[in-house]
Amino acid sequence: MIDRHDYSPWDFWSTASENSRRAQRSWQDRLERDHPTWAIGDDCFVSQIAAVDADELVLGDRSYIAASAYITGVVRIGADCSINPSAVVRGDVVLGDGVRMGALSSVLGFNHSMEPGTPVFRQPLTSRGIRIGDDVWIGSHVVVLDGVTVGASAVLAAGAVVTKDVAPGAVVGGNPARLLRWRVPPAEGAIEATGSSAPAGLRERLTRFADRARADAPDLLARSLDSATGLFTDRPGTRPTVRAHGDAIEIADLLLGSPPPGVDAAELVTRLRGWQDAATGAVPPLDAPDIPGWDDGDTAYHVLSTGYALDLLGAAFPHPIGLIVDATPTSIIERLNALPWDSDPWNAGHHVDALGTALLWTRRRGDAAAPGIAEALVGWLLTRADPASGMWGRPSPDRGLLLLVNGFYRASRGTFAQHGIPLSYPDAVIDTTLRHARDDRWFAAAQLDACNVLDVAHPLWLTRTSGYRSAEVAAVATRLLDDILGQWQAGAGMSFRLADADPGLQGTEMWLAIVWYLADLLGHSVALGYRPRGVHRPEPAPLS
């Protein structure tokens, strides 16, 4: 039996009979039992005649879904939200708190491809996702299309067709939607006299950050040098690693313009070269009982960290790298096809990074490699990039765009960036990266770690010349720098995860590079007085 609360649920818990309340609680319990990926908060209402068929659903406290609403995909709805009668929410959609969605409106976080020659119904779906901030009013008959972000306190007037991002506090209407007026006028931030998009005082803060880092560099390097073995550890109390040596060399080069103090450079070169296996060209972990295959994550990364450490010391690998010299174009394509692009694009990108860097060192050494290796590697990436995201792989239900964006950074760093090759879809990369940077699971100030932030900063820098959404890119760079610049720990550097109190070489090296990229996006990297030259170098690596 249809109850008036199915269509007018806002006063259900204050006016419904006890029997109706009991039935609603039982209904929600059943929904959560039948759908392990659903979570329904307290004092919610879900009409039994709503079509809720989501792969994942989060419904915040005191939110409701009215009759004939249609919900599919991966949908996260905050507290005090309303999905009114016959509203549609589909795809990758996140609503903040206090979002009120009028009847017959649609928020569509996916789209059909439309390449000619194939009927639309046979075309694959694409999804860039929709993010709607807190306290947003969506009038009736509104349509919000895939890829849009709506800022907090905005209003989407009845009948609006929203195809582009809506600024916080804006009131928009029409088809396509345009600014009508301001509900909350934008603050006038102080802008430097240079005309850059950076806020006033940023240049001085960057200079202070870099000066402090240079002053502390000898101490933070010394604290990670194990006096018993003469080897570098990431931080005191941990075991020596190959990567720690690369990080130490990069930090010293960046801040001091020299090898690490107190370490003989010639002995350091001999040690690094001696760690390379002559038969395979691999540098295994220091504690490995034998030589791991190239699928080992540490061994793959040592192509980067050891190769660039030697390069900064004016040396090179003594042996060819089998990852490239033993390969053929066919085996490269087979390796790329076998990587876990759909389930773990970060891991896939990690191994592409090693392939691209091994190709660099092979060219530098002049080692013979099968013709067509580079074409197979880059050609596969060019033809497999998703036009909707600009990236390789797909989002995951539990972590959203995290692995996709992080994998893109690794894959593009080792190939397109390192070898100076243009990307296929730079604007799509910007869209995807900006959308990811709004996910508070990874980018709230208390959640920042060096991997996630670098993997946003570098793609935005790599695509900066397009000028696409440049104001939003600048806003992201400014926000992240605000969260980062005060996190240096005296004499010790920076923690990989900013909220942790365990600074080490890896976190310090990565954050130094991140600060440079973000500052350069704002036109102020010169204030730092350094520029990365190793793994995180911005320019393509020279071939000689």
Side-chain angles (χ1 to χ4, degrees):
M1 178 179 177
I2 297 175
D3 182 87
R4 78 158 182 96
H5 291 108
D6 286 304
Y7 288 89
S8 304
W10 42 84
D11 63 350
F12 175 83
W13 292 104
S14 61
T15 63
S17 68
E18 185 55 39
N19 285 341
S20 294
R21 295 184 191 185
R22 189 179 303 112
Q24 178 63 204
R25 293 190 188 98
S26 177
W27 173 239
Q28 293 181 26
D29 289 343
R30 175 182 168 186
L31 291 176
E32 290 187 308
R33 284 197 308 271
D34 292 347
H35 302 86
T37 58
W38 291 17
I40 301 174
D42 296 334
D43 297 328
C44 291
F45 178 89
V46 181
S47 172
Q48 294 192 42
I49 55 173
V52 185
D53 188 28
D55 298 319
E56 294 185 28
L57 174 66
V58 174
L59 189 63
D61 295 344
R62 301 174 302 283
S63 291
Y64 58 81
I65 298 173
S68 301
Y70 182 31
I71 297 179
T72 69
V74 178
V75 178
R76 296 166 58 206
I77 298 171
D80 300 300
C81 292
S82 63
I83 310 299
N84 274 310
S86 300
V88 175
V89 181
R90 304 189 66 194
D92 172 15
V93 178
V94 176
L95 307 184
D97 295 336
V99 176
R100 316 301 281 188
M101 185 173 176
L104 298 164
S105 287
S106 298
V107 175
L108 305 173
F110 74 100
N111 210 337
H112 280 278
S113 300
M114 56 181 78
E115 295 299 321
T118 302
V120 169
F121 77 94
R122 296 188 184 279
Q123 300 264 1
L125 296 178
T126 63
S127 178
R128 295 156 59 193
I130 291 173
R131 299 294 182 266
I132 296 178
D134 298 340
D135 183 32
V136 170
W137 178 15
I138 303 173
S140 296
H141 294 275
V142 169
V143 177
V144 181
L145 296 183
D146 189 32
V148 165
T149 292
V150 179
S153 301
V155 175
L156 313 184
V161 178
V162 183
T163 62
K164 296 181 180 179
D165 289 356
V166 177
V171 179
V172 302
N175 180 6
R178 59 182 177 83
L179 179 67
L180 302 177
R181 60 185 178 86
W182 292 100
R183 177 188 177 202
V184 181
E188 295 185 6
I191 303 298
E192 295 203 9
T194 60
S196 81
S197 56
L202 177 61
R203 185 183 183 92
E204 291 75 16
R205 292 170 62 205
L206 290 167
T207 297
R208 289 196 300 271
F209 171 86
D211 287 347
R212 186 176 185 186
R214 274 186 284 271
D216 282 354
D219 289 340
L220 71 88
L221 291 166
R223 75 190 284 270
S224 289
L225 186 61
D226 187 330
S227 58
T229 62
L231 300 176
F232 281 102
T233 66
D234 181 64
R235 55 193 183 279
T238 61
R239 292 181 299 175
T241 63
V242 174
R243 177 167 184 159
H245 287 72
D247 290 332
I249 291 165
E250 295 229 17
I251 292 168
D253 180 82
L254 197 68
L255 298 178
L256 304 175
S258 69
V263 179
D264 183 86
E267 291 181 3
L268 194 51
V269 167
T270 300
R271 178 183 298 155
L272 295 175
R273 286 167 58 91
W275 285 339
Q276 188 188 26
D277 176 59
T280 65
V283 178
L286 296 183
D287 55 359
D290 49 28
I291 306 299
W294 289 109
D295 290 337
D296 176 71
D298 287 338
T299 302
Y301 192 78
H302 294 163
V303 176
L304 285 64
S305 60
T306 306
Y308 271 107
L310 285 166
D311 186 54
L312 291 173
L313 294 171
F317 282 121
H319 308 294
I321 300 177
L323 186 61
I324 291 296
V325 299
D326 296 337
T328 66
T330 298
S331 72
I332 290 291
I333 291 172
E334 290 173 348
R335 178 179 285 274
L336 292 170
N337 285 335
L339 291 173
W341 295 104
D342 286 343
S343 61
D344 190 357
W346 179 89
N347 190 41
H350 175 85
H351 289 284
V352 171
D353 201 353
L355 282 167
T357 308
L359 177 63
L360 172 67
W361 306 136
T362 298
R363 286 174 162 178
R364 286 268 195 97
R365 283 177 42 85
D367 294 322
I373 292 286
E375 291 79 1
L377 174 59
V378 177
W380 191 97
L381 294 169
L382 284 169
T383 57
R384 300 300 181 91
D386 178 4
S389 69
M391 302 183 180
W392 305 278
R394 62 183 64 185
S396 59
D398 57 337
R399 288 186 274 185
L401 294 167
L402 179 69
L403 298 181
L404 178 68
V405 173
N406 289 6
F408 172 82
Y409 160 67
R410 292 300 306 275
S412 64
R413 190 220 72 86
T415 54
F416 293 89
Q418 189 166 228
H419 293 273
I421 302 168
L423 292 167
S424 301
Y425 306 106
D427 287 0
V429 169
I430 294 170
D431 285 337
T432 304
T433 306
L434 288 176
R435 187 163 67 256
H436 174 51
R438 294 189 291 268
D439 193 330
D440 283 346
R441 290 178 294 174
W442 324 115
F443 294 98
Q447 304 301 325
L448 297 180
D449 72 42
C451 180
N452 296 343
V453 180
L454 176 63
D455 297 0
V456 160
H458 187 272
L460 293 178
W461 187 89
L462 188 61
T463 55
R464 71 202 182 284
T465 56
S466 75
Y468 178 60
R469 299 180 70 174
S470 58
E472 295 166 80
V473 171
V476 168
T478 301
R479 170 171 61 86
L480 291 172
L481 282 173
D482 282 343
D483 293 333
I484 295 166
L485 289 178
Q487 299 299 319
W488 187 271
Q489 299 185 43
M494 300 184 73
S495 300
F496 178 83
R497 185 174 183 273
L498 287 184
D500 296 340
D502 57 349
L505 297 182
Q506 179 182 350
T508 301
E509 188 277 325
M510 292 181 72
W511 286 115
L512 288 168
I514 290 165
V515 168
W516 187 90
Y517 278 108
L518 296 174
D520 202 63
L521 283 169
L522 297 169
H524 280 304
S525 59
V526 67
L528 294 166
Y530 67 74
R531 187 181 186 93
R533 300 197 309 134
V535 172
H536 299 118
R537 62 177 297 125
E539 299 86 11
L543 293 179
S544 59

